[in-house]
């Protein structure tokens, strides 16, 4: 057995969607990043099918949204139970829908991006130890199967990095080695899963049904195969109990009205669904994200989405720390911003599954009332749409901050995107007499989420753009495409994850520079 030592800036344990998005962001930012994955090959197991609006916005900010949308089917509403639906069509976003596509498609696009940006992904690598001090993290691994850049099988390797992130799922080795508890409970036992063929195609993309006896759910892979998830109240068996196609067809008929002639199961499983959350997402130089930090019932389809948004929140903060210009509290803000979101998702998905599986008379009465008055619950379901989609997430802000601070910023139309406040010579000016020409701006407006693809902050203002010149390597500048719109007198600094870092009405140049220094550190010396 041999031992080697390898160095990176950031180590990521787990090559699922959360880890791959994080790796792609860091590599794009020029950070040396290595992903350690226990599986010897890419997984063909799809756990998630729903990609919500806020996640699509984050993927848009990485140039991946359109490619992913091409692989699936958009739904403008989600049916919960009975006639109760969450309508998504009026969400204020380019993506007013939930995209139904297998998780494997999301992973494929994220992996391609990460590798193209220069990330290293080592598979067949099992984490066996973790130590850290004030300067670095050391992760000990054992290699089981060589492949690509993976060391020889049987080798013990110590990977060293300035930071590490555990994105290794519900049974996280990183979390266990850190000694971080994972309190919670099982909310649904004996869930049945199977990948099947159907003789009859369902009328809807997602087919969902529930009765007092149980529930069933059908989602398409897009290649003729379907994932069925079912639960039978009368058959509560251990996870190790075998699953039969007849068992699944039986509960499907009772919950959905028919079994659609399901046949030829290529894979079956029985599992339980937990609600758990780590109290701390950070221990020294090591962070947790995705299912390693929180897990919950599949109700609402928010699991993968929450993890991807964890990664989008953390990646730019780690990149800033590696580069040496992160404010002292920036890495700590990951806990303060994402832990409350994880807690809210646990509560929301837990409430949905408890309503769906209600046994007590009061809870069944509440479910019946919600179903009966579904047509009159517009404001309630509108808030539900903002919550489930992620559009409504707002991070904590100082008490005296501008109302935009901490909020997710929509895909603003911008003009004059450039890094230093100087017009690019290849950009033509707007026609004479136009409002843009009067402001001295170039033509061809762009979008905020296109600008965010560079992984930088974006300063949006009708004036004072030159104040950002000393931070040209960290911030792009642009003006609102409509100089007389809502941002007429407002200067807005947008974080790389699309949330407002700072905003003010008619700030002085000194106030703007102070805000830039707070968020972007000391100016470059170049």
């Amino acid at each position: 057995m041999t031992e080697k030592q390898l160095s990176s800036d950031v180590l990521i344990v787990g090559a699922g969607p959360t880890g791959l998005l994080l790796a792609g962001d860091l590599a794009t930012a020029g950070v040396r990043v290595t992903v350690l994955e226990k599986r010897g090959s890419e997984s063909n197991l799809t756990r998630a099918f729903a990609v919500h609006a806020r996640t699509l916005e984050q993927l848009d900010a990485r140039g991946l949204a359109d490619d992913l949308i091409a692989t699936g089917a958009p739904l403008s509403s989600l049916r919960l139970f009975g006639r109760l639906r969450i309508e998504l069509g009026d969400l204020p976003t380019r993506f007013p829908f939930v995209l139904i596509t297998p998780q494997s498609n999301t992973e494929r696009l994220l992996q391609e991006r990460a590798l193209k940006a220069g990330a290293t992904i080592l598979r067949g690598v099992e984490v066996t130890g973790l130590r850290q001090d004030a300067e670095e993290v050391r992760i000990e691994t054992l290699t089981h199967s060589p492949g690509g850049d993976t060391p020889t099988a049987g080798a013990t390797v110590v990977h060293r990095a300035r930071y590490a992130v555990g994105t290794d799922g519900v049974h996280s080795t990183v979390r266990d080695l850190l000694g971080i508890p994972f309190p919670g409970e099982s909310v649904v036992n004996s869930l049945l899963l199977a990948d099947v063929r159907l003789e009859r195609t369902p009328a809807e993309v997602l087919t969902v049904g529930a009765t007092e006896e149980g529930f069933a759910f059908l989602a398409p892979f897009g290649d003729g195969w379907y994932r069925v998830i079912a639960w039978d109240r009368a058959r509560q068996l251990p996870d190790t109990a075998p699953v039969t196609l007849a068992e699944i067809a039986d509960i499907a008929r009772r919950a959905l009205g028919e079994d659609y002639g399901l046949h030829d199961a290529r894979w079956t499983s029985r599992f339980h669904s937990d609600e758990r959350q780590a109290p701390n997402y950070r221990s020294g130089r090591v962070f947790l994200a995705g299912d390693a930090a929180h897990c919950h019932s599949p109700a609402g389809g928010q699991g993968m989405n929450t993890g991807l948004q964890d990664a989008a929140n953390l990646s730019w903060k780690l990149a800033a720390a590696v580069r040496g210009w992160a404010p002292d509290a920036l890495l700590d803000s990951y806990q303060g911003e994402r832990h409350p979101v994880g807690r809210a998702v646990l509560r929301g998905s837990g409430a949905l599954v408890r309503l769906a599986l209600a046994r007590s008379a009061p809870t069944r009465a509440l479910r019946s009332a919600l179903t009966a008055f579904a047509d009159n619950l517009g404001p309630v379901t509108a808030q539900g749409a903002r919550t489930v989609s992620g559009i409504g997430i707002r991070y904590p802000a100082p008490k005296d901050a501008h109302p935009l601070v901490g909020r997710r910023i929509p895909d603003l139309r911008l003009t004059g995107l450039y890094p230093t406040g100087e017009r690019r010579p290849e950009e033509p000016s707007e026609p004479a007499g136009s409002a843009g020409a009067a402001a001295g701006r170039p033509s061809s407006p762009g979008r905020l989420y296109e600008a965010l693809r560079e992984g930088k902050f974006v300063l949006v203002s009708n004036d004072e753009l030159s104040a950002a010149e000393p931070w040209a390597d960290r911030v792009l500048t642009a003006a609102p495409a409509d100089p007389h719109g809502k941002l007429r007198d407002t200067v807005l600094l947008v974080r790389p994850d699309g949330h407002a870092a700072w905003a003010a009405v008619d700030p002085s140049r000194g106030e703007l520079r102070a805000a830039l220094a707070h968020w972007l550190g000391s100016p470059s010396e170049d």
Side-chain angles (χ1 to χ4, degrees):
M1 183 177 292
T2 59
E3 179 172 324
K4 298 181 180 181
Q5 295 201 0
L6 301 176
S7 297
S8 303
D9 293 320
V10 178
L11 289 169
I12 298 171
V13 180
T18 301
L20 291 171
L21 187 143
L22 186 61
D25 284 5
L26 291 169
T28 299
V31 174
R32 294 177 305 150
V33 57
T34 299
V35 182
L36 309 175
E37 172 55 54
K38 185 176 180 179
R39 297 171 297 179
S41 60
E42 296 175 31
S43 173
N44 59 2
L45 173 61
T46 283
R47 295 178 176 84
F49 280 84
V51 184
H52 283 293
R54 184 56 181 154
T55 301
L56 287 169
E57 289 184 339
Q58 295 290 1
L59 295 175
D60 188 25
R62 291 153 179 83
L64 301 177
D66 290 341
D67 288 342
L68 187 63
I69 289 170
T71 70
L75 293 181
S76 60
S77 68
L78 276 176
R79 184 157 68 93
L80 302 180
F81 41 77
R83 295 190 302 115
L84 185 61
R85 289 179 176 267
I86 292 180
E87 298 295 338
L88 306 171
D90 292 330
L91 287 172
T93 172
R94 289 185 69 231
F95 311 104
F97 52 82
V98 57
L99 178 70
I100 304 303
T101 187
Q103 175 179 318
S104 55
N105 288 329
T106 305
E107 286 194 16
R108 174 179 55 80
L109 291 173
L110 290 171
Q111 177 171 286
E112 290 173 356
R113 172 178 178 260
L115 291 173
K116 184 177 180 180
T120 298
I121 301 175
L122 304 180
R123 295 188 178 274
V125 176
E126 180 181 5
V127 172
T128 58
L130 186 155
R131 291 175 292 166
Q132 63 174 314
D133 55 32
E135 301 297 326
E136 68 174 7
V137 181
R138 295 178 295 280
I139 292 181
E140 299 171 9
T141 66
L142 179 64
T143 303
H144 293 296
S145 58
D149 294 329
T150 305
T152 303
T156 298
V157 179
V158 178
H159 296 265
R160 308 165 71 109
R162 295 179 61 182
Y163 298 97
V165 186
T167 61
D168 49 341
V170 173
H171 304 291
S172 171
T173 299
V174 172
R175 187 186 63 239
D176 290 345
L177 290 171
L178 291 171
I180 295 177
F182 204 39
E185 62 181 357
S186 294
V187 290
V188 188
N189 292 310
S190 200
L191 277 165
L192 307 173
L193 272 72
D195 292 347
V196 300
R197 296 278 192 182
L198 302 180
E199 291 180 358
R200 296 176 295 280
T201 302
E204 298 189 58
V205 175
L206 281 187
T207 306
V208 183
T211 69
E212 292 186 12
E213 298 175 344
F215 68 80
F217 165 96
L218 280 172
F221 281 93
D223 59 357
W225 290 94
Y226 283 77
R227 166 65 51 81
V228 57
I229 303 175
W231 180 78
D232 187 345
R233 190 188 300 279
R235 288 181 58 81
Q236 296 298 288
L237 303 177
D239 291 355
T240 54
V243 178
T244 67
L245 200 57
E247 179 182 12
I248 295 175
D250 176 59
I251 187 60
R253 284 191 295 271
R254 285 181 281 149
L256 303 177
E258 70 162 306
D259 62 16
Y260 297 95
L262 59 89
H263 61 94
D264 290 344
R266 64 179 178 183
W267 175 79
T268 62
S269 178
R270 190 186 305 269
F271 77 109
H272 63 277
S273 177
D274 288 355
E275 282 181 358
R276 300 184 183 276
Q277 185 177 29
N280 301 305
Y281 286 10
R282 180 184 185 183
S283 176
R285 290 181 166 269
V286 186
F287 300 80
L288 300 176
D291 288 351
H294 46 76
C295 66
H296 47 82
S297 82
Q302 297 173 83
M304 181 183 71
N305 293 271
T306 306
L308 289 171
Q309 291 164 37
D310 287 346
N313 182 284
L314 181 59
S315 62
W316 64 273
K317 298 174 181 179
L318 280 174
V322 169
R323 290 174 170 178
W325 54 262
D328 291 340
L330 187 60
L331 288 177
D332 284 335
S333 71
Y334 172 65
Q335 166 83 16
E337 292 180 346
R338 293 305 299 173
H339 193 275
V341 173
R343 183 170 62 246
V345 171
L346 257 71
R347 290 175 177 172
S349 64
L352 284 176
V353 78
R354 286 172 175 83
L355 275 173
L357 305 183
R359 294 195 73 173
S360 69
T363 308
R364 290 203 309 270
L366 174 59
R367 185 179 66 195
S368 297
L370 288 173
T371 301
F373 293 100
D375 295 337
N376 300 315
L377 293 175
V380 175
T381 56
Q383 179 59 43
R386 290 190 291 270
T387 299
V388 170
S389 68
I391 293 297
I393 292 173
R394 181 183 183 181
Y395 295 141
K399 186 167 59 176
D400 58 348
H402 188 282
L404 289 177
V405 173
R407 292 186 182 276
R408 158 249 177 210
I409 301 302
D411 196 17
L412 303 174
R413 297 291 294 175
L414 303 174
T415 190
L417 282 166
Y418 36 69
T420 64
E422 298 296 329
R423 181 189 301 169
R424 291 174 179 169
E426 69 273 14
E427 290 185 309
S429 296
E430 291 189 304
S434 69
R441 291 196 298 271
S443 61
S444 303
R447 299 189 291 110
L448 173 62
Y449 283 78
E450 290 175 330
L452 290 173
R453 292 174 187 176
E454 295 198 27
K456 299 179 180 180
F457 283 74
V458 178
L459 179 66
V460 182
S461 174
N462 279 309
D463 303 293
E464 298 293 349
L465 293 177
S466 62
E469 289 180 11
W471 293 273
D473 61 328
R474 304 166 207 174
V475 62
L476 297 173
T477 60
D482 180 2
H484 306 294
K486 292 181 178 180
L487 294 179
R488 178 178 62 252
D489 302 316
T490 301
V491 179
L492 172 65
L493 182 63
V494 182
R495 306 180 345 177
D497 61 0
H499 285 257
W502 175 85
V505 177
D506 289 330
S508 67
R509 188 177 181 86
E511 289 172 330
L512 173 55
R513 289 179 65 89
L516 291 168
H518 172 77
W519 283 97
L520 303 174
S522 300
S524 302
E525 296 180 0
D526 297 340

